[in-house]
Amino acid sequence: MDSYIYSIMLSADELARYGRQLVLPELGVAGQERIRRTRVLVVGAGGLGSPAALYLAAAGVGTLGIVDDDVVEISNLHRQVLHGTADLGRSKVHSAADALARLNPLAELRQHTERLTAENAEGLIADYDLVVDGSDNYATRYAVNDACAALGTVWVYGSVERYSGQVSVFGAPDGPCYRCVFSDPPAAGSTASCEEIGVLGAVPGVVGSLQALEALKWITGIGEPLVGRLLQMDFLTGQMRTVRFGKRAGCRACGGRHRKENASMGTKDTTPNVPLDVQPEEVAGLISGAQGEGVGMRLLDVREPWELARARIGDAQSMPMSALGDKVDSLDKSRDYVVYCHHGSRSRMATEWLRSLGFRARNLAGGIDRWSREIDPAVPRY
């Protein structure tokens, strides 16, 4: 009976347009109606926002907002598939709206030609039920997280670099927020940008599509969204791994509300007054000086074995992220650890986790790539 009522609410055009997903027993016409009633804000009409917005519009999201203050440049086109050569110089929001309207004229498209900031984030997000963040900078990402935490809004996270990416869902009622995992942004200039390190165009295509998938799972209640889980993908090797994490007690954004204990993850940072990031020059001084590794400090490399074979710093201990949970008991809590990866993203998460378990750990800002650029050019870059 309920399905019959919903089918009356869907038009003949909708029944035809979405027919291939309507036949999914987990979705059906009731799920399609939920998709149509949902208002989604996509932050950024770039490499991640492009595929995310396209698939959300194609799936039938009723109201789709796009927020971006940038214009289309030729260097965008290898990955930002919402735009074409004819759109060069146009507002990305206007170009995106045209492309999405061509794809699905049934969607209500809202255009926000401005940058989402800490000051306007709550006002923008308050009109939406769900946020998909396709931004490429920490300031916007933290603004999204903090506004969503204040409003009780779920958001889908994605990020990419070179040949890798990661996806998660933050802000669920019993799930962690972004600050539960990364309490503070890295220092300005300590991490490389996409412009500096590059990205293969198809990589954000895959990650943005996964963000759309996670959004649709959340909207319809299908499957298990990536709440409390970070899906990490290495597209060069085809390897994927999932890192689990929980809410942080006393988190400055969500306060650790509805905290659930997780036996595999800690929740309290035992070194709150010690900065999370450590700069390469400071580590270099510790290695070469009287306070070197011989008296307590240990470098911990959380990259994958194939990366270790290409380059390493000194005699760092290898413990890939994929094995960290199983091997953490072999680490010595009496030592100070400096954790590093390629550019500092994976090691930052590993450092937060180790600190929550009581280890004295800090993250090497910028990873081995920055180490090679600023400290030891003999270490190969890749």
Side-chain angles (χ1 to χ4, degrees):
M1 181 64 180
D2 287 342
S3 295
Y4 174 76
I5 293 172
Y6 277 117
S7 67
I8 295 299
M9 297 175 69
L10 295 177
S11 67
D13 190 356
E14 289 172 303
L15 291 172
R17 180 181 291 269
Y18 311 125
R20 295 300 184 272
Q21 65 189 34
L22 283 169
V23 298
L24 294 169
E26 299 86 355
L27 192 143
V29 289
Q32 188 64 51
E33 177 62 22
R34 285 195 292 272
I35 295 173
R36 186 175 71 170
R37 292 200 307 263
T38 301
R39 300 164 298 172
V40 178
L41 177 66
V42 177
V43 180
L48 294 172
S50 287
L54 284 166
Y55 275 109
L56 290 171
V61 168
T63 302
L64 195 59
I66 308 290
V67 55
D68 200 314
D69 69 338
D70 206 357
V71 297
V72 180
E73 299 177 2
I74 196 166
S75 61
N76 303 147
L77 299 183
H78 87 290
R79 67 194 185 281
Q80 300 183 15
V81 293
L82 270 173
H83 319 294
T85 303
D87 297 310
L88 294 177
R90 294 186 67 201
S91 159
K92 285 185 179 179
V93 167
H94 296 159
S95 171
D98 287 348
L100 296 171
R102 287 193 299 270
L103 176 64
N104 190 350
L106 301 178
E108 177 189 342
L109 302 172
R110 298 180 181 177
Q111 303 176 45
H112 305 281
T113 52
E114 57 187 306
R115 176 176 290 271
L116 187 145
T117 66
E119 289 71 33
N120 67 8
E122 284 193 36
L124 284 168
I125 293 172
D127 289 333
Y128 293 90
D129 306 305
L130 182 73
V131 176
V132 174
D133 178 37
S135 64
D136 60 357
N137 65 87
Y138 287 104
T140 303
R141 191 172 299 153
Y142 279 87
V144 168
N145 178 78
D146 295 351
C148 285
L151 295 166
T153 303
V154 173
W155 67 283
V156 183
Y157 156 78
S159 69
V160 296
E161 64 175 37
R162 293 171 60 87
Y163 310 102
S164 63
Q166 50 191 23
V167 179
S168 189
V169 176
F170 292 108
D174 290 321
C177 79
Y178 187 73
R179 282 193 190 270
C180 288
V181 187
F182 302 108
S183 57
D184 296 292
S190 66
T191 57
S193 67
C194 176
E195 183 178 358
E196 295 171 308
I197 63 176
V199 63
L200 188 65
V203 170
V206 175
V207 174
S209 297
L210 285 173
Q211 288 183 274
L213 178 60
E214 287 300 309
L216 292 168
K217 284 164 59 180
W218 183 263
I219 292 167
T220 60
I222 293 174
E224 299 180 15
L226 290 169
V227 175
R229 295 181 293 156
L230 181 75
L231 177 63
Q232 297 182 318
M233 297 152 283
D234 182 336
F235 296 110
L236 275 184
T237 63
Q239 292 184 333
M240 296 188 182
R241 55 187 172 269
T242 301
V243 179
R244 297 180 180 273
F245 49 88
K247 295 181 77 67
R248 180 193 295 273
C251 170
R252 73 179 66 179
C254 71
R257 293 183 292 273
H258 308 295
R259 176 185 172 196
K260 284 188 173 180
E261 296 293 344
N262 187 326
S264 66
M265 294 293 295
T267 55
K268 183 179 180 181
D269 187 345
T270 58
T271 55
N273 297 319
V274 178
L276 182 68
D277 292 325
V278 57
Q279 302 305 311
E281 60 269 21
E282 184 179 345
V283 176
L286 291 172
I287 292 175
S288 62
Q291 301 178 29
E293 289 191 272
V295 291
M297 191 194 82
R298 182 69 168 164
L299 288 167
L300 184 65
D301 187 328
V302 296
R303 298 173 302 150
E304 294 302 305
W306 70 268
E307 295 176 279
L308 187 69
R310 293 193 176 192
R312 71 185 303 164
I313 302 175
D315 63 346
Q317 181 177 351
S318 174
M319 190 171 291
M321 282 282 287
S322 55
L324 193 59
D326 295 330
K327 295 183 178 181
V328 68
D329 290 340
S330 66
L331 299 179
D332 184 354
K333 286 190 175 181
S334 69
R335 306 196 73 161
D336 294 308
Y337 287 94
V338 173
V339 189
Y340 73 88
C341 64
H342 193 188
H343 291 105
S345 299
R346 285 172 286 170
S347 55
R348 217 163 187 270
M349 171 169 281
T351 302
E352 292 262 14
W353 184 61
L354 288 170
R355 287 166 68 131
S356 76
L357 294 177
F359 287 92
R360 300 196 303 270
R362 299 184 72 184
N363 174 57
L364 177 61
I368 194 172
D369 187 76
R370 186 177 170 195
W371 180 271
S372 176
R373 288 184 284 115
E374 298 183 5
I375 304 299
D376 187 1
V379 174
R381 296 183 67 191
Y382 64 96

